[in-house]
Every structure is written in C-alpha cells, then in structure tokens.
C-alpha cells in the first residue's frame, strides 16, 4: 500500500455509514483516537481531527496497513455480491424507489433525527442496503437538528441547539459533471431559494440531503433547514416544500428516475405535485393526467395515530407560497390545489392537510402496525363517505428494526454461532429454529454479559453528569449491581406515552426497587419537546425521584437520550417497559431493539406489541380496549403494572435452578428471540414493502405512463362519466329466497347513462369476529323489460348467516382503477 493511499482508504471507510452496524471497522478508529471515538462513535470526526503525524505513525505499522486494506477490500467485494433483491426479482420493473423522510436516525455521527420516525427511516435504509433493494433516500441536512437535553440540579430540562458543522459530519457535497457543487433552486414568495445537495453513503445506498444554508440566500431562507420540528407553521411549510419539491428536482438533476416514491409520513406530500408537474412537462399533458399517471407509483406510509397529529396549514399560508406554483407550474387554480388537501373541497376556511394531499396523490396507503391500520382507516374514513371502515384503503406493514445496529458484541457472537454471518441478509427462514437450539447457559451468559456492560456504562455516564452539575462523581460507583434485574424505560416524554405510570405510587415503586431479597434497578431516559410543559414536568418528576436517598443506588435518569445511549440501554436491559395509551402508539420500535439482545418486553397492548404478544414471549398490560385519557383507568393500569412486576416478572427472574439459571426466564427469552427477532426486523419490513407495494407500484406506473399517459386519460373519462351520471343510479326491487343451504338474491339496478361495465353490483356483509367483510359480485342478467338502462342482478351465498346480513350495493369499476382510493362513489340498497 502506498503511503498516500492510507488517508484515502480511511476516508472511504469513514464516509460510509455502514460502519455504524459493521463493527469490524471500530478498532481502526479507536487506534486513531480512542477517547474521541468512545465519546462520539463518529469515524469522520475522528479522522478529521487526527494529526498527520498520527496517521503517518499508524501507516508505518504493517499490521495496521494490512488491516485497513483488508477491511476496504472486504467492504468493496460485499457490495458487488448479488443479494436478496437480485435473487427474488431478477427481471423486475423496479429500478429505483425514492424514499422521502423528514428525518433519518442513521448514526449519532449524523444527528438529523428526533425520535421514532427517524429511527424507522434510518433502520429501513440500512436493511435495504443489506438486501440490495434499489432505494435512494431524500431528506434535509439540518444546521442544528433536534435539541440536546440538559437536566439541572432541580430536575428542570434545558434545551440546547448545537451547530452541526458539515465538515465534521459524514457527508460529501454532491458534484455535477463539471465538478461543481450541485445547487438547485425553488421559488418562494418574492425570492429564489438556493439549495445545496449533500450525499451520505449508507452501504450500497445513497441518501441525499438538501440544505438551504447557502450564502446566496437571504438570512431567513438560509434558516429553512435550521432545526428539526422547530419554529412555527411557516418554517415547517417551507421545510416540506424543500423536501418534496426540492427533493424531486434534485433526483431529476442527478438523472435518477424512480418508478416509486415512498412518502415516509405526510411531510413529503408535495412530491406528488412536483412529480405530476414533471410528467406534465415531459409529455405535454394536463395536471389531472400527470397526477393520475404518477400517483400509482407513490406510496404513503402514515405513522400518526390521531388526526390532529397531521400537519395542517392555513389556506392563506398555502396561497402565499403555492398560488404562483399552481398557476404557472401545475396550470391549475389555487382552489384546485387546496381541494387536494381538504376533507370538504369547497370549504374555503378548512385548513390544508398534508395527509389528505398524500392520500389523494398516492396509489397505496399503509399504517405501521396491524392495529395502526385499523386506527388509520377510522381517521381517513371521512375521505371515503359511506364506505365501511374495513374497506377504507389503508393496509399495513409493521415496522421493524435493523438488528445488526442494535445487537451487542456478545449477542452478535451468539447469533453468528447459531445462525451464521449472513442471517440478517436473506429471508431468515431458519433463524428461529437455529436460535432455539442454543443452551440455557449460553442465553443466560448473554444476559449477564450485557447487563454488566450496561452497569459499567451507567456508572461512567452518571459520573460525568454528576460532575457537570457540581455533585460528587464518586457516588456513581455505588449505583447499580450487575446481578440485579434491570428495567429499561426510555422514550419521548409526552402525556399519551404515560412515562410516569411507574410513579403513580412512588412508595410501592420504592419497595419494588429496594427489596433486599429480590431487588430491581431502573434506568430511565427521554426528552420532552421544548414546548411540551406537561412532558417537561414528567421529566422533572423522574429526575427528582431518582435523587431520593432510598432509591439512588437503584434508579437513574440519564439525560440527552440519543442513539448512543439507546444502543446501550436496549443491549443491557433485561426488561423493556412501555406504557402508552392505546391506540396512540402507532407502532413503537424501542421494544423491538431488545429482542436480538435477549431482552423481554412488558408493554401496553398497543402498536407492534398488540400483534407480537403471547404469554410465551413476555408480559402485557391492558385489556386490549380503548379508554382514552380516563384517570381512573390510568390508575388501574398502574396498579396492574406493579402487580405484574411483583407477581410474575421478578419471581421469574430470581427463581433459579441448581446451576443458578432462571429457567422460566430463559425459556421466555428463547421464545422471544426465536419468534419475534426476525418478525420485527427491518429485513422483514423491507422485503414486505417490496413484495406488497414496490413491485406492483413500479409495474402500474410504467403501464400508466405508456403512450404519454393514454390509460390515465381513459380513467379520467370514466371518472367524469361517474361524476355526471351517478345521481341517476338507483335500485329497484329486491327478492331473497333460501333453499338447499343457500340464499338466492335478485335485485333490480337502474344505471341511468352508465354502462354495466363501468360499475359492479355486489352483496356485502359486515365482518364478524375480526374476519374480513364478505363481498360477492352479483351476476348481471338481461335488461329489464321496457328499459335498456336497467338490469337484473343475482347471486347465491351460503346460508350460514341471516339474509338480512347482506346488502346489495353499486360500486365503480374499472380494470385499472384502485377502488375506493381513486373513485369513492358508492350506492347502498338501503
């Protein structure tokens, strides 16, 4: 290796965020600057701050040069090998998926995330890299990111916003063909706003980030990408314009032409407008054609469990920023654009909803857990009037986590021994059965090792925090015990997550923690938004509780919850707690992260745990029903939480066999690891999105885009006919007879000026016991005497249900249409 190659190879490794889950590179950075590496886990920062002398000294060591060369060679070779996608879709129409998200939690080296949404997006890109699914990410590079948390002596949370220096982040300027820094522009009222583009390497994939901090911009516009979820609604709107409109234009500048756009929440919904505009310009067609062509290639994933959680903007604000864009670029009136984001298009006072725009601009919608899909169908039912909740077009793909990111070194070793190195890069068919073969002693040793590492980390971090507050850091060395049951509890502090459920009866909690025979220790972390005063009060309540002399050795609150702290907590906690109000946790992923490390869950039956839970894999809180914010129910669940800990969790942990192994606990560990780790992994989620949505969306988009959108024009003509003539559709008489175990239905349908091939007549029965609704297409008969526009329809159904359970209905039908997403007319018999 030539001397000048070493810095280049180090830069290649440091700029690839694969280093945050491929632990083989970690020893390189610890050799360069062990202290800085331990504090930041930011290879690029370590490399940028290292002296030339240090690099030259390392380069002089043959062993270091060989190690570096081998790491780079192995990484390059791994990127060339075919992976799951090439094997599963060798002839796919899917060439590229553009994944748009407001935040990404890839690494603490790139702090452009807040919480759950970013965690999902970051883990998703990592898993897509492992599987070689052709995804490109689009986001924003924030100058400050999300706030950092400090806890004062009295427990008060303070928010700080340190600057993200791009020179110390693992990002590279995107260059054009001439080598110039790629800059593009969007028009905001009165001014052109320049956007700089940055590239992040995520294994096989690239993430592109837009940044408005360009010297050519006015100061106010330089601050568009200042902070994540900060400022007022106008700043949020401009950020979302940059993400959606600017993001699509960036892809165009790079020559990237995705068949599929995946909107990770409604923040990115403006991309549906810009993608339609792009198709209009390239094919010289009207906006409605452009939107109908491109929408089938768009997927909207909602993460929001309450309608109030969606971004809404005042009509005047939308008009100020988008009236010219609508008129000159989309060639439509502002009222037409506003209608896309309203429940009632003609209500001029109704705010503009980004979620509604996403629904009307996408060919599929999904929630992030099975329960969340049910909740989302209720939320969006208003856009599909008279359609049953069960038929509102929202599917689900439950979130997953990127297991190689969250496993400890000990867990990685155990899984590798049991399941092989490539266990998370394929279909994982045998992972569960392989891990079930691991001996009790090995599983228990994993927990002991991880717990000990967490205890050491807690003491070290707590000592630093105590010193910063002017307290004696030596106190930290008496905190926690490596042999004590350790509970982890970390999340955003806000009312619906009920982070203070455990504090409902503080004295009972103290007795649980300080039991001399079966003690428990608790590590807590989490932030409250700077504008969330009740959330900050809950942070303060915990910060004060852990200062009590009788619990100080058994409970700690660690400030500034981030990815590095989360990694330690999910690796070391024996039990992860989660106490949201059902159904306000759309999915949740923190509890998924403990699975690979042998941690167990005690959680409300909400989000992912509602579909994951069984008595063999953990413990559940709640009755599976919704109780709102009823204080009496909160109190009852708090009592139930204490009881589950006292009567079930703690005895399982401390009841040991003659070898000192808690056999019942380990049995639950094994089943949780085997059954849940692969199921709730980002590997499974990425494959499910590809199988369920991406492949179909790519094919549908290519079909509609053919011949300058000719099929989309056919759809628009069909929709226009329905709009004009639907009011004339009606039912005539209905006759029902029963014989030979079947109900025989005959109904008259008057279609007006619609033809039978433009509609379907169906029998519908509501679902029972959680099953799908029953739908039977009725057979068209001859025209009714005296009328060429009326027909008899008939159907036979099993007589297992009463005939009154079934209702005839008329619904739109077109071979290329997605009903009711693209056409929501419906007529019921009664």
């Amino acid at each position: 290796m030539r001397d000048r190659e070493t810095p280049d190879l180090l830069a290649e490794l440091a700029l690839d965020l694969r280093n945050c889950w491929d632990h083989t590179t970690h020893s390189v950075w610890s050799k360069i600057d062990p202290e800085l590496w331990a504090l930041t886990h930011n290879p690029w920062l370590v490399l940028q701050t290292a002296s030339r002398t240090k690099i030259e000294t390392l380069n002089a060591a043959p062993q270091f040069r060989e190690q570096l060369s081998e790491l780079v060679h192995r990484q390059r070779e791994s990127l060339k090998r075919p992976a799951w996608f090439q094997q599963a879709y060798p002839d796919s129409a899917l060439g590229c998926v553009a994944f748009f998200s407001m935040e990404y939690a890839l690494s603490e080296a790139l702090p452009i995330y807040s919480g759950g949404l970013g965690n999902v997006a970051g883990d998703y890109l990592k898993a897509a890299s492992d599987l070689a699914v052709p995804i490109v990410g689009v986001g924003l590079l924030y100058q400050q990111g999300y706030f950092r948390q400090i806890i004062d002596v009295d427990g008060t949370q303070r928010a700080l916003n340190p600057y993200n220096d791009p020179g110390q982040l693992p990002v590279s300027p995107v260059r054009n063909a001439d080598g110039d820094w790629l800059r593009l522009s969007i028009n905001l009222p009165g001014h052109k706003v320049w956007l700089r583009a940055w590239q992040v390497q995520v294994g096989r994939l690239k993430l592109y980030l837009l940044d408005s901090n360009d010297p050519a911009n006015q100061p106010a516009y330089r601050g568009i990408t200042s902070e994540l979820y900060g400022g007022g609604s106008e700043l949020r709107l401009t950020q979302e314009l940059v993400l959606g409109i600017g993001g699509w234009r960036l892809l165009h500048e790079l020559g990237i032409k995705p068949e599929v756009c995946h909107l990770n929440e409604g923040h990115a919904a403006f991309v549906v407008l810009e993608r339609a505009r792009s198709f209009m310009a390239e094919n010289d067609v009207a906006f409605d054609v452009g939107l109908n062509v491109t929408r089938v290639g768009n997927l909207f994933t909602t993460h929001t469990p309450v309608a109030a959680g969606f971004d809404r903007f005042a009509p005047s604000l939308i008009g100020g920023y988008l009236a010219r864009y609508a008129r000159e670029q989309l060639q439509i009136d502002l009222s037409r654009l506003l209608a896309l984001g309203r429940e009632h298009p003609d209500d001029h006072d109704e705010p503009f909803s980004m979620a509604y725009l996403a629904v009307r601009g996408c060919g599929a919608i999904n929630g992030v857990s099975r329960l969340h899909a049910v909740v989302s169908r209720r939320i969006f039912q208003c856009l599909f009037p008279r359609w049953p909740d069960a038929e509102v077009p929202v599917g689900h793909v439950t979130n997953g986590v990127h297991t190689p990111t969250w496993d400890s070194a000990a867990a990685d070793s155990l899984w590798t021994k049991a399941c092989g190195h490539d266990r998370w890069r394929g279909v994982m068919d045998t992972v569960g059965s392989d891990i079930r073969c691991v001996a009790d002693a090995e599983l228990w040793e994993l927990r002991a090792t991880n717990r000990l590492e967490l205890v050491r980390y807690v003491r070290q971090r707590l000592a630093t925090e105590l010193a910063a507050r002017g307290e004696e850091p030596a106190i930290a060395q008496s905190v926690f015990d490596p042999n004590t049951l350790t509970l982890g509890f970390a999340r955003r502090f806000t009312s619906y997550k009920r982070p203070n459920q455990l504090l409902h009866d503080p004295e009972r909690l103290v007795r649980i923690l300080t039991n001399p025979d079966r003690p428990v220790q608790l590590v807590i972390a989490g932030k409250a938004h700077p504008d969330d005063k009740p959330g900050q009060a809950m942070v303060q309540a915990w910060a004060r509780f852990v200062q009590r002399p009788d619990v100080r050795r058994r409970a700690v609150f660690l400030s500034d919850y981030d990815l590095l702290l989360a990694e330690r907590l999910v690796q070391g906690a024996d039990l992860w707690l989660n106490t949201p109000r059902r159904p306000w946790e759309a999915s949740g992923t923190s509890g998924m992260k403990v699975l690979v490390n042998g941690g167990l869950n005690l959680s409300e039956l909400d989000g992912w745990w509602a579909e994951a839970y069984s008595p063999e894999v953990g413990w559940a809180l709640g009755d599976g029903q919704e109780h709102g914010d009823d204080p009496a129910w909160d109190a009852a669940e708090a009592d139930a939480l204490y009881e589950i800990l006292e009567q079930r969790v703690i005895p399982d942990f401390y009841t040991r066999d003659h070898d000192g192994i808690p056999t019942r606990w380990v049995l639950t560990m094994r089943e949780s690891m085997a059954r849940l780790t692969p199921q709730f992994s980002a590997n499974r989620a990425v494959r499910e999105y590809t199988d369920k949505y991406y492949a179909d969306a790519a094919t549908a988009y290519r079909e509609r885009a053919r011949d300058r959108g000719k099929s989309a024009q056919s759809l628009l003509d069909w929709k226009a006919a329905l709009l004009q003539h639907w009011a004339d559709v009606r039912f005539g008489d209905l006759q029902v007879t029963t014989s030979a175990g079947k109900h025989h239905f005959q109904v008259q349908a008057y279609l007006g000026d619609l033809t039978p091939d433009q509609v379907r007549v169906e029998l519908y029965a509501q679902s029972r016991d959680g099953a799908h609704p029953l739908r039977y297409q009725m057979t068209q008969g001859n025209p009714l005497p005296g009328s060429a526009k009326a027909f008899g329809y008939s159907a036979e159904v099993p007589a297992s249900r009463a005939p009154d359970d079934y209702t005839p209905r008329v619904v739109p039908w077109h071979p290329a249409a997605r009903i009711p997403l693209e056409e929501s007319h419906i007529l019921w018999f009664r």
Side-chain angles (χ1 to χ4, degrees):
M1 182 191 299
R2 297 187 301 273
D3 290 351
R4 65 178 180 271
E5 285 185 336
T6 296
D8 293 338
L9 296 180
L10 286 171
E12 182 178 338
L13 286 181
L15 286 172
D16 189 342
L17 289 189
R18 181 173 175 170
N19 60 58
C20 65
W21 76 90
D22 183 353
H23 308 305
T24 58
T25 64
H26 291 186
S27 62
V28 170
W29 316 116
S30 62
K31 289 176 182 176
I32 296 175
D33 191 331
E35 183 178 6
L36 187 59
W37 168 249
L39 288 171
T40 67
H41 273 227
N42 183 342
W44 185 244
L45 177 61
V46 169
L47 187 58
Q48 293 296 97
T49 56
S51 67
R52 178 177 297 179
T53 302
K54 181 67 174 180
I55 299 299
E56 290 176 350
T57 301
L58 287 170
N59 190 48
Q63 185 178 5
F64 180 82
R65 294 200 309 270
E66 291 173 7
Q67 178 191 14
L68 179 60
S69 179
E70 173 61 25
L71 286 172
V72 172
H73 174 74
R74 188 173 61 84
Q75 185 156 305
R76 290 174 179 174
E77 289 301 309
S78 70
L79 298 181
K80 297 177 183 177
R81 289 197 299 266
W84 171 81
F85 181 78
Q86 287 74 29
Q87 296 164 3
Y89 292 92
D91 302 311
S92 175
L94 179 62
C96 179
V97 177
F99 186 89
F100 289 75
S101 183
M102 200 75 161
E103 52 173 306
Y104 292 89
L106 287 158
S107 165
E108 201 52 46
L110 187 62
I112 55 170
Y113 69 94
S114 163
L117 184 70
N119 271 271
V120 170
D123 279 17
Y124 194 80
L125 290 192
K126 295 173 187 178
S129 171
D130 290 340
L131 299 169
V133 178
I135 292 177
V136 58
V138 181
L140 304 180
L141 182 64
Y142 299 99
Q143 296 145 40
Q144 296 175 338
Y146 200 55
F147 80 96
R148 309 309 298 246
Q149 180 194 57
I150 290 180
I151 304 296
D152 288 337
V153 176
D154 66 350
T156 301
Q157 171 184 288
R158 287 196 291 125
L160 303 177
N161 293 92
Y163 176 65
N164 284 336
D165 180 0
Q168 297 181 343
L169 303 178
V171 299
S172 304
V174 177
R175 305 285 181 181
N176 61 22
D178 296 326
D180 299 325
W181 196 345
L182 181 61
R183 297 163 72 236
L184 55 115
S185 65
I186 63 172
N187 291 320
L188 294 184
H191 296 278
K192 177 184 289 186
V193 177
W194 288 99
L195 303 172
R196 305 185 299 186
W198 303 82
Q199 173 184 304
V200 183
Q201 194 70 38
V202 188
R204 296 173 185 258
L205 310 183
K206 288 182 171 61
L207 165 63
Y208 293 102
L209 301 174
L210 289 170
D211 160 30
S212 70
N213 191 24
D214 189 298
N217 289 330
Q218 290 191 349
Y221 288 153
R222 292 185 70 171
I224 289 175
T225 55
S226 58
E227 56 184 300
L228 176 61
Y229 304 141
S233 60
E234 187 167 5
L235 178 60
R236 180 72 67 87
L237 175 60
T238 55
Q239 289 180 341
E240 295 179 3
L241 288 168
V242 169
L243 177 63
I245 295 177
W248 180 263
R249 291 183 183 177
L250 172 62
L251 296 178
H252 177 78
E253 287 291 327
L254 295 171
I256 298 172
K257 298 180 179 180
E259 294 86 8
V260 180
C261 283
H262 187 166
L263 284 60
N264 193 41
E265 247 318 333
H267 309 125
F270 287 128
V271 73
V272 307
L273 301 179
E274 183 63 12
R275 187 180 188 187
R277 185 209 62 78
S278 178
F279 189 87
M280 291 169 58
E282 292 171 3
N283 295 277
D284 191 24
V285 295
F287 172 74
D288 283 343
V289 174
L291 183 62
N292 273 272
V293 168
T294 56
R295 72 174 297 175
V296 292
N298 298 333
L299 169 65
F300 170 36
T301 295
T302 171
H303 297 253
T304 306
V306 291
F310 295 122
D311 281 349
R312 286 179 166 82
F313 299 110
S316 58
L317 189 61
I318 293 293
Y321 278 90
L322 287 168
R324 183 179 175 184
Y325 175 77
R327 182 177 62 255
E328 297 180 1
Q329 301 292 315
L330 305 182
Q331 300 173 21
I332 59 175
D333 293 334
L334 176 63
S335 59
R336 171 78 175 96
L337 188 153
L338 286 167
L340 292 170
R342 287 171 166 161
E343 176 184 351
H344 306 289
D346 296 328
D347 183 351
H348 301 298
D349 297 322
E350 182 180 338
F352 181 89
S353 167
M354 295 295 287
Y356 292 169
L357 173 62
V359 169
R360 293 189 173 111
C362 289
I365 313 163
N366 76 277
V368 290
S369 70
R370 186 169 59 204
L371 177 59
H372 181 234
V374 175
V375 173
S376 298
R377 286 192 281 270
R378 291 204 300 258
I379 292 174
F380 292 123
Q381 206 280 333
C382 62
L383 300 183
F384 304 92
R386 297 178 298 281
W387 283 83
D389 281 1
E391 293 187 291
V392 172
V394 180
H396 82 276
V397 175
T398 302
N399 285 339
V401 297
H402 185 246
T403 46
T405 293
W406 301 105
D407 63 355
S408 67
D412 180 63
S413 177
L414 184 145
W415 284 90
T416 299
K417 178 182 176 182
C419 311
H421 284 92
D422 293 329
R423 60 193 175 277
W424 309 125
R425 298 186 179 93
V427 296
M428 305 182 296
D429 285 343
T430 65
V431 166
S433 58
D434 290 342
I435 204 69
R436 282 191 175 97
C437 297
V438 175
D440 285 7
E442 290 184 87
L443 292 175
W444 187 234
E445 181 64 26
L446 168 65
R447 288 301 327 132
T449 301
N450 281 2
R451 192 184 316 110
L452 175 60
E453 289 299 316
L454 177 60
V455 169
R456 289 171 174 167
Y457 177 79
V458 166
R459 289 173 178 173
Q460 178 185 23
R461 181 152 177 159
L462 182 60
T464 303
E465 294 189 14
L466 290 172
R469 295 201 295 260
E471 300 182 60
E472 177 53 56
I475 297 172
Q477 299 311 307
S478 64
V479 168
F480 278 21
D481 176 80
N483 298 307
T484 294
L485 172 61
T486 304
L487 312 185
F489 185 86
R491 60 196 30 83
R492 180 163 56 94
F493 272 58
T494 192
S495 297
Y496 84 84
K497 290 182 178 287
R498 299 188 302 182
N500 284 26
Q501 276 290 82
L502 268 178
L503 280 181
H504 176 73
D505 185 342
E507 300 311 314
R508 190 171 180 181
L509 177 58
V510 170
R511 292 194 297 272
I512 291 173
L513 295 173
T514 60
N515 185 303
D517 300 317
R518 294 179 169 183
V520 176
Q521 53 201 21
L522 171 65
V523 56
I524 310 136
K527 300 177 179 179
H529 190 279
D531 295 332
D532 185 354
K533 300 306 180 184
Q536 292 178 49
M538 289 185 281
V539 169
Q540 186 174 48
W542 270 115
R544 290 178 172 176
F545 175 81
V546 300
Q547 293 176 3
R548 288 179 48 158
D550 50 352
V551 300
R552 197 161 190 173
R553 293 181 61 247
R554 294 292 181 219
V556 297
F557 186 102
L558 298 179
S559 64
D560 201 30
Y561 185 41
D562 62 8
L563 288 178
L564 293 178
L565 176 53
E567 182 180 331
R568 297 292 191 139
L569 296 185
V570 300
Q571 290 173 0
D574 295 302
L575 182 73
W576 197 260
L577 300 174
N578 193 25
T579 55
R581 288 194 179 101
R582 178 179 167 121
W584 294 348
E585 179 103 304
S587 172
T589 58
S590 58
M592 299 177 188
K593 295 166 187 171
V594 306
L595 300 172
V596 70
N597 296 293
L600 300 178
N601 281 270
L602 193 176
S603 177
E604 181 74 26
L605 285 169
D606 195 12
W608 78 282
W609 193 241
E611 63 193 83
Y613 169 73
S614 71
E616 298 82 16
V617 298
W619 297 272
L621 187 64
D623 59 0
Q625 304 299 316
E626 298 177 19
H627 299 273
D629 55 359
D630 179 7
W633 181 254
D634 288 348
E637 283 209 328
D639 288 338
L641 178 58
Y642 297 133
E643 184 173 349
I644 293 171
L645 289 171
E646 294 165 339
Q647 303 300 322
R648 298 165 63 189
V649 173
I650 296 172
D652 278 7
F653 184 86
Y654 283 107
T655 302
R656 310 291 172 89
D657 66 8
H658 62 279
D659 293 320
I661 296 174
T663 53
R664 186 173 181 86
W665 186 276
V666 171
L667 179 66
T668 309
M669 272 181 62
R670 179 183 285 106
E671 194 60 25
S672 171
M673 294 173 75
R675 189 188 304 182
L676 303 185
T677 307
Q679 178 61 23
F680 295 96
S681 68
N683 170 306
R684 185 271 312 155
V686 170
R687 288 187 292 110
E688 190 171 347
Y689 272 111
T690 304
D691 294 340
K692 192 173 181 178
Y693 291 112
Y694 293 166
D696 174 67
T699 300
Y701 166 70
R702 288 182 180 277
E703 177 62 32
R704 285 203 187 178
R706 189 176 295 130
D707 297 330
R708 298 172 56 226
K710 183 177 179 180
S711 64
Q713 184 60 61
S714 171
L715 271 174
L716 288 171
D717 294 341
W718 166 72
K719 293 176 71 172
L722 293 175
L723 182 64
Q724 181 178 359
H725 301 300
W726 192 264
D728 298 328
V729 178
R730 64 183 179 87
F731 279 110
D733 293 335
L734 171 66
Q735 294 182 351
V736 184
T737 59
T738 302
S739 63
K742 291 186 177 181
H743 300 309
H744 306 270
F745 289 83
Q746 290 186 321
V747 68
Q748 299 171 342
Y750 295 81
L751 304 183
D753 286 328
L754 296 177
T755 60
D757 63 350
Q758 293 176 312
V759 298
R760 274 185 172 167
V761 180
E762 299 177 336
L763 278 181
Y764 177 88
Q766 291 183 342
S767 60
R768 280 184 175 176
D769 302 323
H772 292 293
L774 299 177
R775 291 184 291 266
Y776 297 92
Q777 182 179 345
M778 302 188 77
T779 301
Q780 176 195 337
N782 294 323
L784 297 179
S787 175
K789 300 178 180 180
F791 300 86
Y793 287 84
S794 61
E796 290 184 347
V797 299
S800 54
R801 295 180 61 169
D804 288 345
D805 286 355
Y806 295 91
T807 305
R809 66 183 191 179
V810 181
V811 297
W813 188 82
H814 187 286
R818 302 180 179 215
I819 309 297
L821 187 59
E822 295 186 282
E823 180 50 64
S824 61
H825 282 93
I826 190 169
L827 176 70
W828 296 90
F829 179 77
R830 64 170 81 90

